[in-house]
Amino acid sequence: MRYTTIASGSSGNCAYVESKQTRLLVDAGLTGKQVEKGLATVGVDPRTIDAIVVTHEHIDHIRGVGVLARRYKLPVYASEGCWKGMENAIGDVPEAQVRLIDANKKVTLKNLEIEAFATPHDAREPIGMTVDDGDSRLGIATDIGYVTRGMGRRLMDCQGLIFEANHDPKMLQTGPYPAHLKRRIASDKGHLSNPDAGEALVKLCDGGVRQVLLAHMSNENNRPDLAVHTVEAILAEHDHTVTVVGDFAPPAVVGLEGVLAVAEQRALRWNPSGAQRSGNPGCNRPERVRLSVAPRYEPHPLEEI
Ligand SMILES: [Zn+2]
Ligand SMILES: [Zn+2]
């Protein structure tokens, strides 16, 4: 299975997943034209897309959904709440292309099995998902206030992840946003911070995740080098060997003082149960975790699992 992001962050999100027979967009938060252009960059003809799955109705996830659905006659999968929330914004989608996806129910799309899960976020019925082609499994989880137990359980069975590292807590606190927005972002229904992403990824990589595309980074409250090195430092602290893909300032100049201390203090809601942890002790733990960053405005090269 191959996957990437076409764009990522509050100005527009779109992920692309392909197996040998099936091609999928997860969200289309750019204009139809921008999505087409991004797909062309990674060598994908939009006419070969089989469906769009929408995680939630925020504009940075739905901007191009209606246009693309009509232009390419694509079925659109979304939760009932998400359909209600986006109906007016995306224009008419022919009844025959409207598909419902429920948390914890599987949808089969040719050889891909998509299983949605509920996410804590300030939308009507937001979801993340796993996509499985029989050989490997990808997890997609962005726009999450925290990692719930249910999400953790599902994501630790994946080999690859598109996973949120939205903000640096200190940059958010001292940044330009008004207080109510800061509170919203940091809340349980907001977005996942770098240290919280790192702490969650320790457990997910213990479960078998071996490559992570860090996504939905804030422009104002984060920096790619800070995000990637924060997550790297937390993973390394827990004995994971990490390869960072991409050209980032070395950790020494990023200003990571206190990151580990802060991360340690934060209580994580999700802890794998003893049974989950001891099910297959150490068997799936990857020798190396590959970390890369989803660019804001352009496609990331295709990743393969
Ligand atoms: Zn978003
Ligand atoms: Zn959102």
Side-chain angles (χ1 to χ4, degrees):
M1 189 156 45
R2 299 203 296 172
Y3 63 93
T4 193
T5 50
I6 300 301
S8 185
S10 54
S11 42
N13 294 277
C14 180
Y16 168 73
V17 186
E18 67 171 30
S19 66
K20 284 191 189 89
Q21 303 151 42
T22 320
R23 294 180 158 190
L24 192 69
L25 291 181
V26 177
D27 293 329
L30 309 163
T31 65
K33 273 213 163 57
Q34 287 168 326
V35 172
E36 288 164 353
K37 201 171 149 227
L39 286 172
T41 309
V42 290
V44 175
D45 182 338
R47 287 172 300 188
T48 63
I49 300 288
D50 292 290
I52 308 176
V53 186
V54 183
T55 60
H56 64 296
E57 71 276 17
H58 289 162
I59 189 69
D60 57 318
H61 297 260
I62 63 164
R63 206 173 266 117
V65 168
V67 170
L68 292 167
R70 287 184 289 274
R71 192 169 293 159
Y72 300 105
K73 302 197 168 36
L74 297 173
V76 178
Y77 291 83
S79 67
E80 200 176 351
C82 178
W83 269 114
K84 287 197 180 113
M86 72 178 177
E87 251 162 8
N88 292 333
I90 65 170
D92 281 340
V93 172
E95 195 69 41
Q97 290 165 236
V98 173
R99 304 274 200 283
L100 280 181
I101 188 165
D102 280 333
N104 304 318
K105 271 194 203 140
K106 287 178 186 163
V107 164
T108 307
L109 199 67
K110 294 204 223 166
N111 72 323
L112 286 185
E113 198 164 74
I114 303 161
E115 198 173 352
F117 49 79
T119 53
H121 189 54
D122 56 355
R124 288 217 193 180
E125 200 185 337
I127 57 164
M129 71 203 71
T130 56
V131 184
D132 194 315
D133 71 348
D135 292 325
S136 51
R137 189 176 298 170
L138 168 72
I140 302 178
T142 68
D143 301 72
I144 50 179
Y146 66 102
V147 178
T148 66
R149 234 186 132 72
M151 288 167 65
R153 208 167 39 227
R154 302 283 303 285
L155 294 173
M156 69 192 297
D157 281 336
C158 296
Q159 291 80 51
L161 294 183
I162 298 175
F163 196 69
E164 174 162 57
N166 177 262
H167 59 276
D168 174 70
K170 208 148 106 201
M171 283 180 78
L172 177 66
Q173 266 165 38
T174 56
Y177 282 8
H180 73 271
L181 200 50
K182 289 182 182 181
R183 268 198 305 276
R184 204 215 104 194
I185 291 169
S187 79
D188 276 2
K189 298 206 154 193
H191 290 277
L192 204 65
S193 73
N194 299 337
D196 283 355
E199 287 291 327
L201 285 169
V202 167
K203 299 181 177 71
L204 299 176
C205 294
D206 280 347
V209 169
R210 57 173 192 256
Q211 56 194 54
V212 183
L213 185 51
L214 296 173
H216 213 300
M217 257 170 225
S218 166
N219 208 20
E220 291 78 15
N221 308 308
N222 210 353
R223 295 198 321 264
D225 56 345
L226 183 54
V228 82
H229 290 314
T230 301
V231 171
E232 179 192 24
I234 294 168
L235 283 168
E237 177 84 343
H238 291 82
D239 302 321
H240 280 285
T241 309
V242 181
T243 304
V244 172
V245 182
D247 199 12
F248 301 105
V253 301
V254 170
L256 283 174
E257 309 80 31
V259 161
L260 292 175
V262 172
E264 297 254 308
Q265 284 162 19
R266 292 182 73 91
L268 252 198
R269 248 62 64 90
W270 167 63
N271 268 309
S273 65
Q276 277 172 19
R277 255 187 317 227
S278 61
N280 224 343
C283 279
N284 296 325
R285 204 173 194 268
E287 266 175 43
R288 200 163 262 285
V289 177
R290 186 186 146 88
L291 265 189
S292 46
V293 170
R296 221 175 151 68
Y297 299 111
E298 67 252 30
H300 185 275
L302 285 166
E303 295 273 348
E304 189 158 6
I305 39 169

